[in-house]
Amino acid sequence: MLAVWLPLLLPFLAGPVGRRLSAALPPRQAVRLLALTAVGLAATSTCALALLVVPGATHLHDVAVLAHLLTPLTSGPPGATVAVTVVAAASLVWCVTLLVRGVVRRRSRLRQARDLAARADGELVVLPEEFPDAYALPGRPGRIVVTTGMLRALTAPEREALLAHERAHLDDRHHLFTAVVDLAGLCHPALRALREPLAYAVERSADESAAAAVGDRRLTARAIGRAALSARATSLAPPARPGPALAATAGPVPQRVAALLGGYAPDRTVRPLTRRVAAAALLACVVVSAGASLHAAADLHTGIEIAQGERP
């Protein structure tokens, strides 16, 4: 049952590798790979907790009778096995509770955002607020919300680039990727380290889409930089945003501006070997974790058959 511990340990590698990956891969690929990694590691670590509960639970008479066990499963000293089971069961219950609450909270916030979006007649919603702000509001369809303060802070071409950035968030459904990673972090605390690299990759992906839409990387960089500076330079309190909103001024804006001005070309800015190693390392975490979970489940099944007297 040593393999069962790997899915609980591998998520601690995901954060450092994910930070490297977000800068090494094209943004859209990075977003998808980070979300896939978060889902895979969250699922396998939760399965590992469930597998750790079983051996100690078989020491209970009712469980042994229900499973038709002649003897309890043994994976070490009985006291240690029961102690591991208690800790794993408590962690599993806590994880499931947080996950259910997180899903309910996310659905409520998304429903509120969709209700707000449904009240608007067009794609663009202009709020009479002096604070410079702009964000994408997911819905059916989604809306782009911008304040009058932000409109005054930018030139007409810059406004077009900013709106293209927010439109990219809606078109690529970035709020779903951020929700997936946030929920995965509730299953294993180490996976919360993926939130920052994913947020960066999401914004970079929208930056690249905006640059392609307006056909001017420098204009896009200037729009993003000026929007962020305007929001930070004002003394006004920012208005409340709906939960799933995604804003162009989020994340490390200087790095994003530098990437736009430098021209995004992965084959020149990052060595191909670095990209392959970063992607392979993250995928390896998921594959090894899944393999370890399957191996641990197979070992557990064999142990149950032995305890039932079906195997010598």
Side-chain angles (χ1 to χ4, degrees):
M1 290 289 287
L2 292 177
V4 76
W5 296 100
L6 275 177
L8 299 174
L9 297 176
L10 286 174
F12 290 98
L13 298 177
V17 176
R19 283 191 291 271
R20 181 64 176 168
L21 182 79
S22 63
L25 285 184
R28 183 167 293 185
Q29 294 181 20
V31 168
R32 294 173 179 173
L33 187 53
L34 287 169
L36 173 65
T37 300
V39 171
L41 293 180
T44 54
S45 63
T46 304
C47 288
L49 288 176
L51 292 173
L52 285 171
V53 171
V54 177
T58 61
H59 286 265
L60 298 174
H61 176 72
D62 292 341
V63 174
V65 171
L66 182 64
H68 307 291
L69 302 179
L70 302 178
T71 60
L73 297 180
T74 56
S75 57
T81 301
V82 172
V84 169
T85 293
V86 171
V87 174
S91 300
L92 186 60
V93 170
W94 181 247
C95 166
V96 172
T97 302
L98 290 179
L99 187 59
V100 171
R101 288 180 178 176
V103 170
V104 172
R105 185 167 56 250
R106 279 274 171 180
R107 290 188 62 183
S108 175
R109 290 178 177 176
L110 184 58
R111 191 180 302 112
Q112 292 174 4
R114 286 175 173 172
D115 289 343
L116 290 173
R119 297 174 190 171
D121 296 330
E123 180 193 45
L124 181 63
V125 179
V126 179
L127 298 180
E129 299 280 351
E130 290 301 318
F131 184 88
D133 199 13
Y135 53 85
L137 189 63
R140 296 176 181 173
R143 301 287 187 253
I144 299 172
V145 181
V146 62
T147 64
T148 53
M150 180 63 79
L151 293 178
R152 282 195 293 269
L154 305 179
T155 64
E158 290 170 350
R159 290 197 291 268
E160 182 183 355
L162 185 69
L163 296 180
H165 174 102
E166 302 300 351
R167 190 174 296 111
H169 281 317
L170 297 176
D171 292 342
D172 293 337
R173 302 180 69 82
H174 285 156
H175 66 284
L176 296 181
F177 292 99
T178 56
V180 162
V181 174
D182 284 345
L183 293 175
L186 300 178
C187 296
H188 195 297
L191 294 177
R192 296 171 189 169
L194 290 177
R195 293 174 179 173
E196 182 179 344
L198 178 80
Y200 175 73
V202 161
E203 294 303 328
R204 283 285 299 116
S205 178
D207 290 344
E208 292 298 325
S209 296
V214 300
D216 191 335
R217 302 183 65 84
R218 295 187 66 84
L219 170 63
T220 306
R222 189 167 64 248
I224 299 299
R226 183 169 292 179
L229 288 175
S230 299
R232 294 172 185 175
T234 183
S235 59
L236 299 173
R241 293 174 182 164
L246 292 169
T249 55
V253 174
Q255 294 180 28
R256 292 166 51 200
V257 169
L260 284 168
L261 293 178
Y264 185 75
D267 56 334
R268 294 195 298 270
T269 59
V270 181
R271 293 180 181 179
L273 179 61
T274 302
R275 297 199 307 273
R276 287 195 292 268
V277 169
L282 210 55
L283 285 174
C285 288
V286 179
V287 172
V288 172
S289 185
S293 295
L294 291 174
H295 182 71
D299 283 349
L300 182 62
H301 183 265
T302 300
I304 291 175
E305 289 184 336
I306 293 173
Q308 290 173 337
E310 297 181 4
R311 288 193 181 189

